Amino acid sequence: MRAIGTSLTATTAAAVLIAGAGTAMAAPAHTTGRASGPAASSLSAVSRFDDGSFESPKVKANTFDEFAAGQSFGPWRVTSGNVDLIGAGYWQAAEGDQSLDLNGSDAGAVSQTFTTKAGSRYTVTYSLAGNPELDRVPVLKTGKVLVDGQNVQGFSFDVTGKTKANMGYVRRQVTFVATGPSTTLTFASTTLHSPTGPVVDDVTVERCKPDCCD
């Protein structure tokens, strides 16, 4: 497993960071509207956002596939650097079988564009861990979430004490206001000059109804 100079076209988007770094969890179930997020009754599914668990394409068990800038896998496109799509059994996934190391040979970024309604507020929820191979530094894996090229949340994860069997995933959230009929969500590593980076999985995007996220 392998820094990016993320150069995405910036589109103004209002963003509100949900307080807190998330709740530690071992092997979360894939559900909509978890206890750690807004009430399920205040959220609705987002059109066309897909494969937040990085299940496509299937990677050979106990291995990983590297994808470079300009390549796509499922609905995700690598927008800078390179990333590793992790197959079943290589290490613990937060949901399903596969997950994504945001560092391939070096730091990378992935994006997905989905339908939104201008002026509506959306909540992105995801599971965060880090590549636990401790022979590779640094132990603190860092990255950021971008909406239409705007940095809306930085994140970090310390892999000290973590193993492939116990990744120590935490849930994180960030909320943004869409500015147009489509929005591009990006996860980018800022762990430079390292083949081991932050790991993301179980990404969901939900539209807030008027009584939530205030």
Side-chain angles (χ1 to χ4, degrees), residues 89-151:
Y90 190 88
W91 60 43
Q92 179 192 32
E95 197 279 334
D97 294 324
Q98 301 190 164
S99 57
L100 187 71
D101 187 340
L102 289 172
N103 282 48
S105 58
D106 209 334
V110 296
S111 299
Q112 181 177 161
T113 300
F114 53 94
T115 301
T116 51
K117 181 179 179 181
S120 291
R121 194 169 294 182
Y122 296 81
T123 296
V124 178
T125 308
Y126 61 99
S127 291
L128 174 68
N131 186 321
E133 296 178 345
L134 293 179
D135 58 327
R136 307 295 182 92
V137 294
V139 296
L140 187 67
K141 315 300 182 182
T142 62
K144 55 187 177 180
V145 181
L146 302 97
V147 172
D148 288 335
Q150 178 185 350
N151 183 3

Side-chain angles (χ1 to χ4, degrees), residues 27-106:
H30 183 64
T31 58
T32 298
R34 304 168 198 274
S36 60
S41 61
S42 297
L43 299 168
S44 60
V46 170
S47 174
R48 298 186 182 178
F49 182 82
D50 193 23
D51 196 22
S53 293
F54 306 101
E55 301 299 317
S56 179
K58 287 297 182 184
V59 177
K60 185 177 178 180
N62 300 304
T63 66
F64 59 87
D65 289 340
E66 181 175 288
F67 292 85
Q71 294 183 309
S72 297
F73 54 93
W76 297 93
R77 182 174 178 81
V78 183
T79 51
S80 68
N82 46 62
V83 301
D84 285 333
L85 184 60
I86 310 298
Y90 190 88
W91 60 43
Q92 179 192 32
E95 197 279 334
D97 294 324
Q98 301 190 164
S99 57
L100 187 71
D101 187 340
L102 289 172
N103 282 48
S105 58
D106 209 334

Side-chain angles (χ1 to χ4, degrees), residues 21-28 91-94 126-132 156-172 199-201:
T23 303
M25 59 200 307
W91 60 43
Q92 179 192 32
Y126 61 99
S127 291
L128 174 68
N131 186 321
S156 63
F157 189 91
D158 191 329
V159 300
T160 303
K162 304 302 187 292
T163 66
K164 289 184 177 181
N166 182 17
M167 294 285 284
Y169 287 98
V170 295
R171 289 297 275 175
R172 297 294 303 270
V199 174
V200 294
D201 197 6

